Amino acid sequence: MIQTIRGTRDILPEDIPLWHRIEDVAREAFRRYGFAEIRTPIIEKTELFARGVGESTDIVNKEMYTFVDRAREDRDGESITLRPENTASVVRAYLQHKMFADRSPGELTRLYYVGPMFRRERPQAGRYRQFYQIGAEVMGDSDDPAIEAEVIEMLDWFLRELGITETTLLINSVGDATLREEYLGRLRVAIEPDLSRYCADCHHRYKTNALRVFDCKNPDCRPLIAGLPTITDSLDGASREHFEQFKAHLDARGITYTVQPEMVRGLDYYTRTAFEIIGSTGLGAQNTIVGGGRYDGLAETLGGPPTKGFGFAFGLDRMVMALPETISRDLRAAGAPDIFVVCMGEAARQHAYHVVRELRRAGLVVILDFADRKMKKAMALADKSRARHALIIGENEVNEGRYALKNLTSGEQESLAVSDIIIKLQRN
Ligand code: AMP
């Protein structure tokens, strides 16, 4: 039997109501805050991610699904990649479609996306090779920290609306590109004397991108890392001021946060503000549900004009896991049919086709059992379908034009005409 590829999975019908709920609340948040949806291709030129996300990141180095597309006319083919994230693609689209043209100063483009991403990571609970993200980007010529606070306020509303309340907002500033370069030098110098005591992964990070040592979870490395200088300590005046203003904007909105100087994020394009939202329940080790930050300069890296940008992405897979149990249970139950129709005999079934059509036209969720069964077996199936009611149609019912509606929770039963069934169940 053929099974799913490692790190991928089917999202089964019983979980779909949870996914829909998260998508619906996200779309509502985006609607209120003026974001429009964009859908970019799942495959892009490899170069987009190599340049955008950064050659030295784990994502580009070892996690991308890259292959040569030989369908091209030229014989060498073209290297293409399944998108590992969507910010680079959205910025590409922003540039490609010249969304920045005819701009007033300070005018912003607000875009959001929903869809699958692909990274060849070691699969574990909450970490998949095909996972789903919902994300948003704000682009333009302004880097006002108020934009950042507004985006976080939107996320705050979104999480509350979903009932996900036990979260922590971690913030940091990673400075601008020049500072990063300078800081990287100092970081290397600080690591070097103890290099032999770090793990093999950290050795590799030291060589390729020393900033990444802060991601190390190895218990032997943690005490060493704790003693390293942080980027936050080395911020230049302008970045420091930006960070102070960002915090003041969060304070003004009553949003609580923790400054986490070691939080540097896994993508190269971040400048200044970086943030994560950590969930507490249902998540295990992979408890980062939202990640985001500022990426001024990314557009230039991709060949565009100077552009400021700020955005985030959250993992739908992890958001589903973070939903409180009671809410998940209610969402699953809400997906149950209103009525399961049981017919006694062929004439009743022929009649039922019309009844069922009317009920559905009135908006009710109706399942019609097509097989001939004994009453007991049919009622067992009605229970199994989790329907709230069974509607029993037999010869007598056909003649009277009234049908037996049984409440499957209370066991109560009454005889009603179609119009009364509609009134009764719609009201509920
Ligand atoms: P990133 O694009 O790495 O900043 O990740 C943003 C968010 O996407 C994370 O906080 C997770 O919620 C989610 N995410 C990233 N990688 C994975 C993965 N391999 N499996 C599931 N969710 C992921």
Side-chain angles (χ1 to χ4, degrees), residues 111 133 153 162 182 200 218 223 270 276 316 373 391 393:
L111 299 172
Q133 282 187 339
E153 179 195 275
L162 286 175
E182 199 181 279
N218 189 318
Y270 286 115
E276 287 185 350
L316 259 160
R373 306 177 206 278
L391 187 70
I393 304 183

Side-chain angles (χ1 to χ4, degrees), residues 119 121 126-128 131 133 265 267 288-291 313-315 318:
R119 293 181 196 170
E121 292 188 273
R127 190 158 76 196
Y128 307 96
F131 59 98
Q133 282 187 339
R265 317 265 315 114
L267 303 91
T288 309
I289 41 182
V290 189
F314 69 76
R318 288 186 202 168

Side-chain angles (χ1 to χ4, degrees), residues 351 395-403 415-419 421:
H351 184 82
E395 223 172 281
N396 291 344
E397 283 82 1
V398 171
N399 294 334
E400 287 168 24
R402 295 166 76 84
Y403 314 96
S415 179
L416 296 171
V418 170
S419 53
I421 296 172

Side-chain angles (χ1 to χ4, degrees), residues 353-372:
Y353 295 144
H354 300 285
V355 172
V356 165
R357 189 170 57 179
E358 257 186 87
L359 294 171
R360 287 180 178 147
R361 286 190 175 168
L364 295 172
V365 182
V366 186
I367 306 290
L368 175 63
D369 185 18
F370 289 103
D372 276 326

Side-chain angles (χ1 to χ4, degrees), residues 336-342 365 367 375-392 404-414 424-425 428:
D338 295 306
I339 303 174
F340 187 94
V341 179
V342 173
V365 182
I367 306 290
M375 186 62 151
K376 202 168 157 201
K377 180 74 198 169
M379 292 307 282
L381 272 186
D383 274 330
K384 196 175 160 197
S385 79
R386 299 181 305 142
R388 283 171 263 266
H389 299 87
L391 187 70
I392 302 148
L405 183 73
K406 182 172 183 180
N407 183 320
L408 292 175
T409 318
S410 66
E412 241 171 70
Q413 185 168 320
E414 52 189 331
K424 186 182 166 85
L425 297 194
N428 291 343

